[in-house]
Amino acid sequence: MAVRKHWLFLSTAILGVSLAACSAGDGEQGEAGETMHTASGEGGEGGEGGEGGEGGEGGEGGAAQAGLSEGGARVYVYGQMRGHLVVAKALYDAGDAIAGSPHFMHPVVEVMAGNPDQFDAATTAQLTEAIEALALAGEDGSHADEVQAQYDTVIGQIDAALGSATLADHAEGFAALIAQARHEYGEGVVNGAIEDVIEYQDAWGFIAATRASFDAHRAEYDAADADAADTLDTALADLQALRGAAMEDPPAEISAVRAATTRVQLALAPFQG
């Protein structure tokens, strides 16, 4: 796979991204503007097709999804979609529409195509139409208002699809998504350098989606176990602190990311049952 030379470093502003993957009755929504630093160079990566989606085993993250409950699997799959969209929108907002363009379509060509059991025909048609419209609007940097409106439409559809998810579903699904982020990071960073920037971007998108879900549902986590919620908050902050804030910063060592993602998974465990 060709490596696109668009180097993405999500700034600390992405901590404010609000993931509205809500449990029944919450109805939370909205997303703060993510900021990043990019540099563009040569390259011609046209997405990550050709292998049945990332992971090559029935869609992105087949291994991470194995063994999940029905509700946890649903949160995991829609969390992947949200993570891809966070990355795409952040790149677009940073003025790098070329780099963001393939990420806009990843929810369709990777996640939905690889997990058909999670989407009925009506949902597939609705999401595909909305995401394709978003990707078309985001092909260049001249349609910011249209991109924002269409982005909000897609996010609203994702929120609605997870309206019945419980806190346990969220904790289980996002623990799996953190495992997938660890895998993506290992694919993206080789010998201390970014080898596959798309995988690297996906990793931080999945991590940002997890953080935002926790923030959106913090009251529920606190009600279940306030001390455990504080531990999870700290673990997520420590993980996101590994992200470089400037283009010239080297990526964090994979060993540090493995350790930090494992701590997040352990911190999610008390809420899973």
Side-chain angles (χ1 to χ4, degrees):
M1 174 172 14
V3 177
R4 181 192 301 276
K5 301 300 182 184
H6 293 288
W7 301 78
L8 166 65
F9 294 87
L10 302 180
S11 79
T12 53
I14 205 170
L15 293 173
V17 175
S18 174
L19 175 63
C22 305
S23 59
D26 283 353
E28 300 160 42
Q29 194 163 335
E31 210 146 67
E34 307 92 44
T35 307
M36 71 196 58
H37 306 275
T38 64
S40 299
E42 298 179 4
E45 219 281 303
E48 300 175 58
E51 298 179 7
E54 292 179 57
E57 297 179 6
E60 187 174 37
Q65 188 177 349
L68 296 182
S69 67
E70 181 178 348
R74 189 167 182 81
V75 169
Y76 169 72
V77 167
Y78 279 92
Q80 288 181 69
M81 297 178 72
R82 187 62 173 267
H84 285 304
L85 293 171
V86 165
V87 171
K89 182 63 161 52
L91 283 164
Y92 181 89
D93 289 345
D96 206 342
I98 293 175
S101 182
H103 287 289
F104 276 130
M105 282 304 297
H106 284 179
V108 173
V109 300
E110 292 181 354
V111 183
M112 294 176 66
N115 301 275
D117 58 313
Q118 292 292 337
F119 306 92
D120 60 31
T123 301
T124 296
Q126 182 187 52
L127 281 168
T128 299
E129 180 180 4
I131 292 168
E132 286 179 346
L134 173 59
L136 182 63
E139 284 184 347
D140 60 52
S142 62
H143 302 91
D145 290 345
E146 183 180 353
V147 168
Q148 185 64 59
Q150 197 61 37
Y151 181 80
D152 291 343
T153 295
V154 175
I155 294 304
Q157 291 174 355
I158 292 174
D159 295 344
L162 290 178
S164 62
T166 66
L167 183 62
D169 293 336
H170 281 284
E172 182 186 17
F174 281 105
L177 191 61
I178 286 293
Q180 184 64 22
R182 181 169 57 239
H183 170 77
E184 304 283 336
Y185 196 92
E187 293 288 315
V189 176
V190 179
N191 296 325
I194 299 175
E195 182 70 21
D196 189 329
V197 72
I198 298 291
E199 304 291 344
Y200 177 76
Q201 291 166 348
D202 284 347
W204 288 117
F206 295 162
I207 290 166
T210 303
R211 170 85 238 188
S213 176
F214 171 71
D215 290 342
H217 297 281
R218 180 60 191 263
E220 296 171 57
Y221 281 96
D222 282 340
D225 189 328
D227 289 340
D230 286 342
T231 298
L232 176 54
D233 190 5
T234 299
L236 285 165
D238 290 346
L239 174 57
Q240 291 201 291
L242 295 175
R243 183 185 57 245
M247 188 173 60
E248 62 271 18
D249 290 347
E253 292 291 336
I254 183 61
S255 59
V257 172
R258 285 172 180 157
T261 52
T262 298
R263 285 193 291 272
V264 171
Q265 289 178 287
L266 291 172
L268 281 163
F271 302 101
Q272 294 183 38

